[in-house]
Amino acid sequence: MSHLMNTYGRIPVAFSRGEGPWVWDTEGKRYLDALTGIAVTGVGHAHPRLVRAIADQAGRMIHASNLYRIPEQESVATRLTGLAGMDRVFFCNSGCEANEAAIKLARLHGHHKGIEQPVIVVMEKAFHGRTMATLSATGSRKVQAGFEPLLLGFARVPYNDRTVIAQLAASNKNVVAVLVEPVQGEGGVNIPDDGYLPFLRQLCDEHDLLLMLDEVQSGMGRTGRWFAHQWTGIRPDVMTLAKGLANGMPMGACLAAGAAAEVFTPGKHGSTFGGNPLACVAADTTLQIIEDEGLLENALRIGSQIREGLAARLAGVEAVREIRGKGLMIGIELDRPCGDIVAMGLEAGLLVNVTADKVIRLLPPLILKPAEATLLVDGLADIIRAFVRANEPAAVAG
Ligand SMILES: *Cc1c(COP(=O)(O)O)cnc(C)c1O
């Protein structure tokens, strides 16, 4: 019997090492990693420069405490806020914690404005984490069921829709913020219209609301820009990061700009581990690697190659509803549930994921090379074709 709590239906394979986009299981079988631990190991496994930086820092100091100044934290804060064009950052250890910080910030901001029951607008199909506040913000009954009572103070609207949110912002004086993913990840790699984020920016300006972007999955170069919202030219008031931030060292961040950056004062929020020297050096080095190796451009180039390759190889397969994505955040939507694709991929030496039941999700490392992308495209196209053949809707007996 396992002594682990039964929170995951685990695939019965264990990995013992990785190198770049490759991982090996304990039996020595090699896999191409097109999932990266869910958008985490963007610069690949065991990147020599990152390994050295982490080892060196571990040999100097792992933990200090936020009761003191932490130069490594100040350094990565400067780099990160510079890339985002934002002012300040709070460091924590995960995506849900980053969103917790954003939610607390928005509520405090509301109270400062005299709003005692602040409301944050959130989206259908959103995913923001599994703490009580973030699961309440999440738009999935599966995530929430059994954990009621949920937190009050969230109002839900359809994603990529302008009418409902505009009516809500105009009619509800308690609304203080909008929390939204620039591309929905867990919800099925849902990409809004080009004008949607600028529309939200304008709406927030009109009604004095904070625009808070959850870039936990879409950030850190994943879409071919540092942050997915940078495709639109807008700047959010608050942005959250985690997943790829430190390439696997646990780390989250809540960034803020302008007035939102001045909301927290000592005693209002904190974290024992958040922003420790080890995680900060890992993040700083990850950012430098992305920059020095031109990985934003690579994510864009390889992302197009994968989408175009799949479109060509899957032409005429009617079960494929849509192939969509931005950079290396890619979804292939089928017309039927396709969870079995994960096991078929594993068999073929490919690590892929299925989310929202019918969407095959690819989150390959930003370092992927064209030849490796070709392996992924060819392998996955064969798997999808085989899956569709084996799972045709039952034909009418003749
Ligand atoms: C994964 C994810 C989270 C939660 O991050 P954890 O580190 O698992 O808490 C929050 N928001 C988005 C968009 C995510 O993809």
Side-chain angles (χ1 to χ4, degrees):
M1 178 212 137
S2 170
H3 293 285
L4 297 172
M5 283 206 189
N6 196 19
T7 51
Y8 281 89
R10 292 175 195 269
I11 299 163
V13 59
F15 304 112
S16 52
R17 74 185 177 91
E19 197 182 308
W22 301 99
V23 295
W24 284 263
D25 70 14
T26 45
E27 312 287 301
K29 179 174 171 182
R30 188 177 81 154
Y31 304 80
L32 184 58
D33 185 0
L35 183 57
T36 56
I38 317 187
V40 171
T41 52
V43 306
H45 296 279
H47 193 293
R49 194 170 155 193
L50 183 61
V51 171
R52 210 176 318 117
I54 291 172
D56 288 352
Q57 184 57 42
R60 275 193 298 274
M61 174 171 275
I62 293 175
H63 180 78
S65 171
N66 287 303
L67 296 174
Y68 308 99
R69 278 192 52 213
I70 301 176
E72 295 83 358
Q73 198 180 114
E74 290 169 20
S75 158
V76 68
T78 301
R79 193 182 293 274
L80 206 50
T81 52
L83 293 172
M86 298 180 79
D87 297 317
R88 291 183 190 264
V89 52
F90 170 81
F91 287 113
C92 50
N93 314 286
S94 65
C96 60
E97 279 178 81
N99 287 327
E100 284 276 346
I103 291 164
K104 282 182 69 177
L105 189 156
R107 285 184 165 202
L108 191 56
H109 174 68
H111 282 270
H112 288 165
K113 291 200 297 181
I115 297 172
E116 282 172 21
Q117 299 290 323
V119 169
I120 299 171
V121 180
V122 291
M123 303 295 155
E124 289 173 4
K125 296 189 188 167
F127 184 81
H128 298 299
R130 290 174 179 275
T131 60
M132 279 313 306
T134 57
L135 78 81
S136 300
T138 288
S140 155
R141 272 311 292 161
K142 233 162 101 183
V143 171
Q144 296 175 340
F147 300 106
E148 298 80 5
L150 302 181
L151 236 70
L152 298 174
F154 296 103
R156 197 168 307 282
V157 301
Y159 188 61
N160 197 26
D161 167 276
R162 303 178 188 209
T163 318
V164 180
I165 193 170
Q167 281 167 355
L168 182 66
S171 63
N172 187 333
K173 294 299 162 218
N174 287 332
V175 172
V176 293
V178 176
L179 174 61
V180 57
E181 296 157 88
V183 177
Q184 288 186 330
E186 303 307 302
V189 190
N190 303 319
I191 305 166
D193 300 337
D194 288 344
Y196 181 59
L197 288 183
F199 159 79
L200 289 181
R201 177 69 276 174
Q202 198 183 343
L203 188 76
C204 286
D205 289 344
E206 266 168 39
H207 296 279
D208 188 28
L209 315 177
L210 299 180
L211 179 59
M212 310 203 296
L213 300 184
D214 179 345
E215 294 241 24
V216 167
Q217 190 163 150
S218 61
M220 296 307 296
R222 176 65 36 204
T223 69
R225 294 279 167 97
W226 280 105
F227 312 108
H229 73 267
Q230 290 178 331
W231 284 106
T232 69
I234 64 138
R235 189 183 73 168
D237 300 294
V238 174
M239 171 173 71
T240 56
L241 299 173
K243 294 208 161 93
L245 179 54
N247 210 60
M249 287 296 301
M251 191 181 212
C254 176
L255 290 83
E262 310 305 324
V263 170
F264 281 138
T265 49
K268 292 298 183 189
H269 200 45
S271 167
T272 297
F273 291 139
N276 70 62
L278 188 64
C280 286
V281 162
D284 214 3
T285 309
T286 300
L287 291 165
Q288 287 176 47
I289 291 169
I290 293 173
E291 198 164 300
D292 293 350
E293 297 186 6
L295 297 184
L296 302 183
E297 298 75 11
N298 195 62
L300 206 56
R301 204 164 39 233
I302 300 294
S304 302
Q305 184 196 331
I306 292 173
R307 286 199 306 278
E308 285 162 20
L310 285 173
R313 293 287 312 265
L314 293 169
V317 180
E318 275 182 32
V320 177
R321 280 228 180 111
E322 191 180 26
I323 299 169
R324 56 180 178 258
K326 248 187 165 40
L328 287 172
M329 195 170 179
I330 298 169
I332 303 124
E333 181 169 341
L334 302 193
D335 64 355
R336 63 199 73 174
C338 59
D340 291 350
I341 294 272
V342 171
M344 295 173 74
L346 205 68
E347 182 66 34
L350 288 181
L351 303 186
V352 302
N353 174 252
V354 170
T355 191
D357 253 13
K358 299 177 180 173
V359 182
I360 302 159
R361 178 171 49 163
L362 305 179
L363 298 162
L366 313 183
I367 51 151
L368 203 70
K369 295 197 170 76
E372 294 154 351
T374 301
L375 283 178
L376 171 61
V377 166
D378 291 350
L380 185 60
D382 287 348
I383 289 166
I384 292 173
R385 281 179 175 274
F387 170 81
V388 169
R389 264 197 312 274
N391 293 274
E392 283 302 353
V396 181

